[in-house]
Each structure stands twice: as structure tokens, then as C-alpha cells.
Amino acid sequence: MMYPSITAAAQGYLRCGICETLQASSVGARCQVCHEPLYAREPHSVQKSLAYLTTAVLLYIPANMLPIMWTEQFGQVTASTIVGGVISLWQHGAYLVASVIFAASVVVPILKMLSLGWLCWLVRRGGVAHQHQASSVYGLTELIGKWSMVDVFVVALLAALIQVGSILTIKPGTAALAFAGMVIATMLAARSFDMRLVWDLEEGDQDE
Amino acid sequence: MQTACSQCDALIQLPDELAENTRLFCCRCGHPLYSRSHLGWSEILGFALSGFIFLTIALTHPFLGFSVSGRAQSMALIESSTTLWESGEHVLAFLVLIFIVLAPLLLAGLVVALYMTVFARVSRRLAVFFARVLHELDHWNMVEVFVVGVLVSLTKIAGMASIDVGVGFWAFIGFAVSIWLTLARLDRHRLWSSIHAMDART
């Protein structure tokens, strides 16, 4: 594997993934500080990332199809899905909350899965890449990763707070677990992906 | 001293002395490399300890209350997990407990434990173990997400009932801020250098 000449890997240095210490060792040797095995690039990073990504995509289906919450009001039980909840909030005039929920549970997960898929595809395809663009996409994916969990917390809070017998009771639905699993899987996918693989490709935007 | 950028692996020569409150960025990709805070260990330790105090208050005082049709109801922080457990969502209950209580609590505990092991030079092996757990656990602390979750829930039910915000809620906000300050200001670079400087035989 050829690394760009500016990189530590090209000049015989390896950076520990845990403690970030730079050392002139060979691949597979242990870090002097934390005893973690050293690699130039995370081994099988794209495969791991794709595996978590597939899990996330599969979990996203039940997360949207199944009810996330059951509401029992005066003996009448209604189920609500994620999108259904957003629509009913919007109809009640809570535009800001509807937008927050819509962004956190629909837009962000889809964008996250698409951008991670795109990054994996870039590395698999090889050739020229727009690194700065890819870096911003990856940075954003890492930053917003855990914020999608808002919806799960809302369900947990409403279920705990609203327990007034038959007048009004809220129970969590199966979709909440699927959704939490999806968020965890995308977070793991982002963490497994080694951004250095994209920077090892031929630089597409020299003069940015 | 040399370092390599975590994002693009560019080999970079760091200046020997860094002024306080400086941030360094990678010259190849612009990724933040290192930031030197003016806060020392004692401040970080203070944030971690105030986190414990805030969490104790948050767990022992009413979190939120609400009343509808003359019937009042109040919840404790821990019930956001235990109610899920009672509804049969055992895995979800455990996850929520990890994200909002266990992970941040353990992180604050690890900071205190690291302070003690590194400064009292107790055991290098133990310090490495604590620092590694801290590194892995860092991403699973979601207190700030939970605070936003509370605000969203309140707006959701504000129309159908009257809401009381309890002492526990305000303490939880204090807990979120303390944990955030602890983790954001902890200089991991200096932490690992101090561990590296410890006697390998301990």
C-alpha cells in the first residue's frame, strides 16, 4: 500500500488509536504507552463500518413501521409511529417541536446512513476523491450521531410521567428499541470508519 | 515533538511549548489537532465532583410533575428507565440507564480515579486501564441529549396538562453541565503524557 509522502505512515511512524502516541514501530507491535496493537490504518475499517451500516438500515425499517408509543385516553388505545407523531404535532401547531423531532428522527438518520455509505463507497472505488468535502461530511456525522436518541428519551419520559390510569397513559412501543439500536449502529459505523483511508486516495481538490 | 493528524495522518512537528488557550489545526486537512486549556487538574476534579453532587440531588428529588383532570402525578429521574422495564422493554430500560446515568457517572468517577492514580503515582497499569475505559466510554454519555428530550416532552404535553418542573430537573441540568465541562476540558494529551512518564514498574 502506498501512502501519500506527507503522512506519518509513509515515513515509518504509527499513531496509536487509543492514546495517540506516535512511534516508529512496525505494524502489529504494541504501543509503548497503552499496549494496544499498532496499525497504520484501522484493520477492516470499511467492512466493519458497512456491517454496522447494514444493521442500521435494517433496524430503521421496523423503527418506522411499528408504533413507537401507545396512548390510552379514556379507555381508547391509539398507536403512533415516528412520522405519525410528527404529523400530529404539526397539526396541533407545534411547528418548532415537530421540526426538531422530524430533523432528529427522520432527516438526520437518513443523511447519516447515506453519508457513511458514500464514504465507504469512496474508499472501495479508489481513485480521486474530494477529501475536504468528505471530511466535513464525516465530521458532521460524528457530531450529530447521538442527537437522534432524543426521540427514544421522549418516549421514556412520557411513559414515566403520564400514568393516570384510564384517563391518560402512555406506553413505549417496539419501534423505540429498534430506533435506539439504529442510532447505536450508526454511531458504531461512524467510529469504525477510518477517515485516513479517504485521505490516502488521490487528492481531488488541491486548490481549495 | 511530532504527531500525526487523526483524520489524514499528516506528520506534524508540534512546538515544544504551547501557550495556554491555544488550538492547533492540521495543515493538510484542517482537523483540530490539539488544544491547550488554561484549566488544570484541580478545576477538572472540581467539575467531576460537582457532577456527583448534582446527580445525587437529581436522583433523590422529584424530576417532573404533571396534573390533568384534577389528578396529579410526579416522576423521579430513575423512572424514565424503570417504567420501561415494567412495560417489558428491558433492553431499552438498560440502555436509557446507561446513557443518562451510568456512563456519565462512570466517566466522572474515572476522572477522579485517574487523578488519584496519576498524581499519587499509585499504579501505571491501573492508570492505563482507567484512561482506556474513559476513551471507549466517552461517546456513550448522552446527558445533554436527554435534557433536550425533556424540553421536547414538556412542549408535547404542555397543551394537555399543567407541568411542574422539580428540583431534580434543575439538578440534572447542573449534572449535564458539570459532566460536559469535565470531559470537554480534560486534556487527554497531557493525561497520556503523564501516564507515559510514570514508572513502568508500578
Side-chain angles (χ1 to χ4, degrees), chain B residues 83-100:
Chain B
T83 314
L84 292 177
W85 183 276
E86 285 155 16
S87 317
E89 293 285 347
H90 297 176
V91 181
L92 196 63
F94 194 56
L95 287 175
V96 168
L97 192 67
I98 290 177
F99 293 151
I100 66 168

Side-chain angles (χ1 to χ4, degrees), chain B residues 3-14:
Chain B
T3 190
C5 173
S6 63
Q7 181 106 279
C8 72
D9 203 37
L11 187 64
I12 289 158
Q13 185 73 39
L14 286 180

Side-chain angles (χ1 to χ4, degrees), chain A residues 2-70:
Chain A
M2 281 289 290
Y3 299 111
S5 58
I6 189 176
T7 60
Q11 296 174 49
Y13 292 100
L14 300 176
R15 178 182 157 284
C16 173
I18 305 285
C19 69
E20 315 202 337
T21 316
L22 194 69
Q23 38 215 307
S25 312
S26 54
V27 172
R30 299 250 164 191
C31 169
Q32 304 161 8
V33 181
C34 64
H35 311 297
E36 184 70 6
L38 295 168
Y39 302 101
R41 302 290 177 260
E42 285 302 317
H44 312 298
S45 130
V46 175
Q47 285 94 322
K48 280 187 201 163
S49 203
L50 279 175
Y52 285 128
L53 198 59
T54 315
T55 314
V57 172
L58 290 176
L59 283 171
Y60 194 61
I61 301 166
N64 277 289
M65 307 290 282
L66 298 173
I68 195 161
M69 213 159 71
W70 297 92

